[in-house]
């Protein structure tokens, strides 16, 4: 299968290199053209033989996108706009794949995005795609080059401690979201990363532990719901964005940061349970993409096995989903994503696009090339 995956990576690389982004309107990495830059950056790490060529493409793409930002109205959010584009520029600079002064390039954007984060905080919007956690993820990247961003991170983190945004208070609502893309798991992951950066450790430790315990209180038969709606537990098929893959990833990372064996054991039981799931057990998967696709599942199981639990069941699950991904990519579906209109198309972006497929393939072939994962809150 390794041979097949290498061939798919070669095909994907040719497709990405030949794609024109001149008229692209989405400049983010998650769903837009900035994903090509992340892919090429990781391709350099995987095989450096074409490093200068890829860096030249990265530079030209950045120039094109900066020109677009200056002259066109763009979204501001992480999922499809400036926050996602800024995250990409910071990522590239920190890895020396973009020869620019990062602070000169992004200093004004820092203040702008923090003001947007403050507005979202006031509106109790902590969504990773559309809200304050998305801006916070940008500042995590930026904090190495601009230490002032640590202040922004502390303020965003502290906003999760107020009565208005108390992690546990959301559980008292008729509808509660635990997902990594929109809910409590993204907040737990964000705060855990702040602790790893030695930001407000004591206060954030307590809040993370409470959040983890609240999610785990809904565990039944080694399953965790994606959401609570009108008092009922709602479960999700295997996805990065919704359900146990993202939730358990957040719990595992929090347990590691907190050095909490109890949370780790409970997360592991859920991980082992869903490791038994297969494509024909109501998983509703039609593509090999990262989000709503089989490569995202394979990648997360591989990450769990490498970083958290040396479980044979988890290892077998990772192998199974890589095999299924290979079968899909060898079928007429190829690298297409089944969109909301029910049409199979090649998409752009880390989540649903060929760039995301390419990144997952790189990590499948070399699990040490994985820094792109922080774009989707995997640590």
């Amino acid at each position: 299968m390794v041979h097949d995956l290498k061939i798919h990576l070669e095909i994907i690389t040719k497709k990405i290199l030949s794609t024109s982004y001149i008229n692209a309107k989405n400049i983010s990495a998650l769903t837009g053209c900035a994903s090509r830059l992340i892919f090429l950056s990781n391709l350099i790490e995987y095989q450096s033989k074409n490093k200068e060529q890829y860096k030249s493409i990265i530079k030209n793409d950045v120039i094109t996108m900066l020109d677009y930002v200056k002259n066109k109205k763009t979204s501001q959010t992480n999922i499809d706009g400036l926050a996602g584009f800024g995250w990409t520029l910071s990522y590239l600079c920190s890895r020396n794949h973009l020869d620019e002064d990062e602070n000169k390039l992004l200093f004004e954007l820092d203040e702008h995005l923090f003001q947007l984060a403050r507005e979202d905080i006031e509106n109790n919007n902590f969504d990773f795609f559309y809200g304050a956690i998305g801006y916070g993820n940008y500042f995590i990247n930026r904090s190495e080059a601009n230490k002032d961003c640590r202040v922004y991170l502390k303020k965003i983190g502290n906003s999760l401690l107020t009565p208005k945004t108390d992690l546990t208070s959301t559980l008292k609502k008729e509808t509660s979201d635990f997902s990594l893309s929109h809910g409590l798991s993204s907040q737990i992951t964000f705060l855990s990363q702040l602790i790893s950066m030695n930001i407000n450790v004591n206060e954030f430790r307590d809040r993370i532990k409470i959040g983890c315990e609240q999610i785990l209180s809904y565990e039944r038969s080694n399953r965790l719901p994606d959401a609570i709606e009108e008092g009922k537990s709602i479960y999700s098929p295997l996805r990065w964005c919704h359900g146990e893959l993202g939730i358990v990833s957040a719990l595992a990372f929090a347990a590691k940061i907190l050095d909490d064996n109890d949370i780790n054991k409970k997360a592991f039981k859920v991980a082992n349970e869903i490791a038994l799931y297969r494509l024909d057990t109501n998983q509703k998967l039609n593509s090999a993409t990262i989000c709503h696709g089989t490569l995202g599942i394979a990648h997360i199981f591989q990450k769990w096995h490498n970083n958290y639990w040396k479980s044979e069941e988890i290892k077998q699950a990772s192998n199974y989903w890589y095999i299924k991904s290979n079968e899909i990519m060898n079928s007429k579906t190829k690298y297409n994503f089944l969109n909301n209109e029910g049409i199979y198309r090649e998409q752009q972006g880390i989540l649903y696009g060929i760039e995301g497929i390419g990144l997952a393939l790189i990590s499948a072939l070399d699990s040490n090339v994985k820094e792109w994962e922080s774009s989707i809150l995997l640590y």
Side-chain angles (χ1 to χ4, degrees):
M1 186 178 64
V2 171
H3 175 70
D4 277 9
L5 296 185
K6 286 183 177 179
I7 291 175
H8 288 304
L9 179 58
E10 290 176 5
I11 295 170
I12 287 283
T13 300
K14 289 178 181 177
K15 283 177 173 288
I16 291 172
L17 290 175
S18 63
T19 300
S20 172
Y21 293 90
I22 294 176
N23 296 315
K25 296 180 180 179
N26 183 333
I27 57 171
S28 78
L30 293 183
T31 59
C33 56
S35 57
R36 170 155 84 167
L37 312 183
I38 303 299
F39 172 75
L40 292 177
S41 177
N42 281 266
L43 196 59
I44 290 171
E45 299 294 332
Y46 174 65
Q47 53 182 29
S48 59
K49 62 179 181 180
N50 295 316
K51 178 178 180 179
E52 294 309 314
Q53 176 195 356
Y54 298 156
K55 285 186 66 175
S56 177
I57 294 171
I58 287 170
K59 180 179 180 180
N60 289 333
D61 277 5
V62 168
I63 291 171
T64 300
M65 291 182 218
L66 286 172
D67 184 65
Y68 179 87
V69 169
K70 289 177 183 177
N71 295 290
K72 302 287 185 179
K73 185 177 180 180
T74 62
S75 165
Q76 309 293 297
T77 63
N78 185 37
I79 185 70
D80 60 3
L82 271 179
F85 179 48
W87 185 95
T88 301
L89 294 179
S90 176
Y91 180 96
L92 296 170
C93 290
S94 67
R95 283 152 184 78
N96 298 315
H97 294 158
L98 179 63
D99 298 324
E100 296 287 344
D101 183 322
E102 182 180 342
N103 283 330
K104 184 177 180 181
L105 195 62
L106 295 172
F107 189 79
E108 290 184 10
L109 185 61
D110 293 343
E111 179 60 28
H112 174 66
L113 293 184
F114 181 63
Q115 293 305 317
L116 294 176
R118 290 179 64 180
E119 292 174 13
D120 281 332
I121 289 166
E122 286 298 312
N123 293 319
N124 203 26
N125 175 13
F126 290 90
D127 196 279
F128 174 59
F129 285 176
Y130 304 102
I133 299 296
Y135 298 122
N137 205 43
Y138 163 83
F139 291 122
I140 286 173
N141 247 19
R142 282 286 291 129
S143 62
E144 186 175 341
N146 180 9
K147 302 304 180 185
D148 289 344
C149 289
R150 292 175 63 87
V151 177
Y152 298 154
L153 287 168
K154 184 176 181 179
K155 289 181 178 179
I156 295 172
N158 282 338
S159 69
L160 294 173
L161 303 175
T162 65
K164 184 179 179 181
T165 57
D166 190 316
L167 286 174
T168 58
S169 71
T170 63
L171 300 173
K172 299 174 184 176
K173 300 176 183 178
E174 290 187 359
T175 300
S176 301
D177 190 330
F178 298 153
S179 71
L180 188 61
S181 53
H182 305 293
L184 284 180
S185 291
S186 65
Q187 298 178 39
I188 288 169
T189 301
F190 177 71
L191 290 177
S192 297
Q193 181 62 10
L194 296 197
I195 285 182
S196 76
M197 299 165 64
N198 200 32
I199 297 176
N200 216 12
V201 173
N202 292 332
E203 291 186 68
F204 291 165
R205 283 182 65 88
D206 294 341
R207 187 52 49 196
I208 292 166
K209 188 172 178 65
I210 291 171
C212 290
E213 289 174 347
Q214 289 289 347
I215 290 177
L216 287 167
S217 72
Y218 286 88
E219 179 272 324
R220 302 289 185 273
S221 302
N222 296 327
R223 293 291 315 272
L224 289 171
D226 177 64
I228 307 298
E229 295 182 3
E230 297 181 351
K232 295 181 180 180
S233 294
I234 307 299
Y235 295 90
S236 170
L238 293 179
R239 302 282 189 270
W240 161 81
C241 55
H242 287 280
E244 285 113 333
L245 285 176
I247 294 169
V248 170
S249 293
L251 293 172
F253 182 49
K256 179 179 179 180
I257 294 298
L258 299 178
D259 192 23
D260 191 308
N261 194 45
D262 184 54
I263 293 174
N264 181 71
K265 283 182 177 179
K266 290 176 179 177
F268 174 58
K269 286 182 179 180
V270 178
N272 255 6
E273 175 68 26
I274 64 174
L276 302 176
Y277 291 1
R278 295 297 180 256
L279 188 60
D280 58 352
T281 53
N282 197 32
Q283 299 311 311
K284 302 177 183 178
L285 296 164
N286 304 290
S287 305
T289 50
I290 293 237
C291 193
H292 291 246
T294 52
L295 274 173
I297 300 171
H299 179 80
I300 291 175
F301 278 123
Q302 174 186 254
K303 181 174 185 63
W304 289 353
H305 184 263
N306 290 342
N307 288 33
Y308 297 109
W309 306 296
K310 297 300 181 185
S311 157
E312 187 61 29
E313 288 80 6
I314 290 175
K315 182 179 180 181
Q316 289 177 4
S318 178
N319 291 337
Y320 170 83
W321 288 106
Y322 279 126
I323 289 170
K324 289 302 173 183
S325 299
N326 189 40
E327 290 175 0
I328 289 174
M329 291 185 291
N330 284 331
S331 74
K332 64 180 181 181
T333 300
K334 296 186 182 299
Y335 314 110
N336 294 309
F337 178 73
L338 184 63
N339 64 21
N340 293 333
E341 288 76 41
I343 300 171
Y344 282 96
R345 283 203 183 111
E346 282 187 3
Q347 307 268 95
Q348 285 183 345
I350 291 174
L351 295 183
Y352 314 111
I354 57 174
E355 296 85 358
I357 292 175
L359 288 167
L361 289 172
I362 289 172
S363 293
L365 295 167
D366 185 350
S367 61
N368 292 317
V369 184
K370 58 183 181 180
E371 295 304 316
W372 60 271
E373 297 172 326
S374 61
S375 69
I376 54 172
L377 294 181
L378 294 179
Y379 291 99

